[in-house]
Amino acid sequence: MSEILTWLEMTKTDVLPAAIVSLLISVTVTLISKHLETRDTAEIAYRYEQRKKQHEVIGRHYGRLISAANTLGYRMWNLYANCDRGWLSRERDSDDDGYYFKSTAYRLMNFFAIVRSAEKEAILLDGRIASKKDYLFLNYIDVFHWVMTDTALFEGLTYAHESQCDHFFADEFRRYSELCISTDDQLTFDGFTSGPYTDPKFFPVLRFIEGLTRNEARLRWDRLIALHLLIQAFLNDFGYERQRASKGKFDEIAAQVRNKKVLENLGQWLPKHELGRRDGTRLVARAIVRTGK
């Protein structure tokens, strides 16, 4: 009997810790599994919500931005043919500056009002989660603002970087663009000419356009050529088939530049915006290389 009691006591001592360890392992595994499951579920939900928001933001601005880009592109082609006619002069002694001047200002800033609207919403988005196409769209929004505001485009050329002459200060340009954002989501020409156009805070934009011509020592013309190249790349990537341009058309736009150094600078900065290696901006990069030869 004493031998049996001794055996039971030994069995109890050996088995109990093993059972406890097994239970602890089981509980730990269960908790870890639930944690990972919860984390993965939260991650999936976050990615879903972010992509949904990205589609919503892009969807709100997609059509209007394409239309505004196409209209501004038409004006740039028209300007190449007529820049020496003096149509961008202002009638200082008249209440009427002329349709060509007003409509050029309207097309430029209607485009950038939409860019600014998209930019304000895109700030809250997680670009790491965007699809390839959505991410490309967001990169265009970024580079459109850059090409009008950064003096790096004039690197290597003589230019007074501290004054707003042939470029715009970034935050000031956002303010000019916001003046043109319509509460109806569509800035009309009449709404522009009776609103932002008459606002003194908007006058730096008018001074930028006034008297614009290819045959001048200033650099603003080349800045607009860089903008036009990017607009056409955007239309090639997101526009309708009829709005897309061939390699030859990109070459024609690039050939309008006065200072090839501006195009070189643009080509160097495209990769910093994750552009220039594929899609429409690849045609920009190729046109820059061919124009520089």
Side-chain angles (χ1 to χ4, degrees), residues 163-181:
S163 62
Q164 187 172 254
C165 180
D166 295 337
H167 80 289
F168 296 98
F169 296 139
D171 292 327
E172 293 288 338
F173 192 64
R174 289 188 176 98
R175 183 174 68 172
Y176 307 146
S177 300
E178 287 177 2
L179 289 172
C180 299
I181 296 176

Side-chain angles (χ1 to χ4, degrees), residues 174-234:
R174 289 188 176 98
R175 183 174 68 172
Y176 307 146
S177 300
E178 287 177 2
L179 289 172
C180 299
I181 296 176
S182 173
T183 54
D184 298 328
D185 291 331
Q186 182 62 51
L187 179 68
T188 64
F189 179 66
D190 288 340
F192 171 75
T193 54
S194 63
Y197 189 82
T198 62
D199 190 331
K201 293 192 293 292
F202 188 75
F203 287 176
V205 175
L206 303 184
R207 288 195 292 269
F208 178 85
I209 298 170
E210 183 178 4
L212 175 70
T213 176
R214 186 176 188 275
N215 300 313
E216 62 180 4
R218 294 179 59 176
L219 299 175
R220 55 183 176 170
W221 175 272
D222 289 346
R223 187 170 290 277
L224 290 180
I225 301 305
L227 171 64
H228 191 194
L229 283 169
L230 293 173
I231 284 175
Q232 188 55 65
F234 174 74

Side-chain angles (χ1 to χ4, degrees), residues 217-288:
R218 294 179 59 176
L219 299 175
R220 55 183 176 170
W221 175 272
D222 289 346
R223 187 170 290 277
L224 290 180
I225 301 305
L227 171 64
H228 191 194
L229 283 169
L230 293 173
I231 284 175
Q232 188 55 65
F234 174 74
L235 289 173
N236 271 42
D237 285 331
F238 292 96
Y240 299 107
E241 184 67 34
R242 65 178 182 276
Q243 297 170 331
R244 296 170 187 166
S246 64
K247 296 178 183 178
K249 284 298 182 181
F250 278 89
D251 289 346
E252 287 183 40
I253 298 172
Q256 293 293 329
V257 77
R258 294 183 68 254
N259 299 280
K260 292 182 180 180
K261 183 62 178 174
V262 172
L263 292 185
E264 292 176 16
N265 292 334
L266 175 62
Q268 291 173 3
W269 270 87
L270 284 177
K272 298 179 182 181
H273 294 276
E274 300 185 53
L275 298 168
R277 295 189 179 93
R278 56 183 182 273
D279 306 305
T281 51
R282 180 178 57 182
L283 296 177
V284 174
R286 288 178 176 177
I288 291 171

